[in-house]
Amino acid sequence: MKVNAGIITPKLKESKDFYANVLKYSVAFENEFYILMHAPDNTPAVAFLLPNHPTQQPVFQTAFQGTGMFFTIEVTDVDAEFKRIKSLGVPIAIELRDEPWGDRHFAVVDPNGVGIDIVTYKAP
């Protein structure tokens, strides 16, 4: 079983640009109202859907309101990712830090308001 997270948003272009340019995702499928993007390891990861599209049922109509959701992206070298993403001028929501439970991480926010925690796990 695989999970794709989907965000209903009017910000298709901004979302595609952010995930491609900042997180190195690639487009697996795209049409005028839907984009499916793969993570760098080619696993399906996130989709974006225009709100109120006539092809979609009511449960897939309402746009995400920008709160109450986050993604965690595990990377091999969080320090290198922090440096790379910061060099792109992306605002950092949580500066690079170590947590007592073992995470070394930082966070950014996508164009839809989704917090993205970028982490390397270490033993506490």
Side-chain angles (χ1 to χ4, degrees), residues 6-11 51-52 61-69 109-115:
I7 301 170
I8 301 171
T9 179
K11 299 177 181 178
N52 304 310
Q61 292 279 334
T62 304
F64 175 66
Q65 300 300 308
T67 62
M69 181 177 187
V109 177
D110 87 353
N112 305 292
V114 176

Side-chain angles (χ1 to χ4, degrees), residues 31-88:
N31 64 22
E32 67 278 359
F33 65 91
Y34 178 82
I35 301 170
L36 173 64
M37 299 191 77
H38 281 178
D41 66 359
N42 208 33
T43 57
V46 65
F48 304 99
L49 175 66
L50 280 177
N52 304 310
H53 199 273
T55 63
Q56 301 302 304
Q57 297 298 311
V59 69
F60 301 118
Q61 292 279 334
T62 304
F64 175 66
Q65 300 300 308
T67 62
M69 181 177 187
F70 70 92
F71 294 147
T72 299
I73 299 174
E74 186 176 351
V75 297
T76 304
D77 186 347
V78 72
D79 292 86
E81 281 301 296
F82 177 77
K83 183 177 178 182
R84 183 186 68 77
I85 289 173
K86 193 163 187 161
S87 77
L88 296 173

Side-chain angles (χ1 to χ4, degrees), residues 11 16 18 21 30 63 65 71 76 85 95-96 107 118:
K11 299 177 181 178
K16 176 183 170 183
F18 179 87
N21 298 328
E30 179 176 10
Q65 300 300 308
F71 294 147
T76 304
I85 289 173
E95 289 292 326
L96 185 63
I118 301 173

Side-chain angles (χ1 to χ4, degrees), residues 85-106:
I85 289 173
K86 193 163 187 161
S87 77
L88 296 173
V90 175
I92 304 298
I94 298 173
E95 289 292 326
L96 185 63
R97 58 188 281 161
D98 293 307
E99 300 293 357
W101 53 86
D103 291 3
R104 181 162 175 77
H105 70 120
F106 69 98

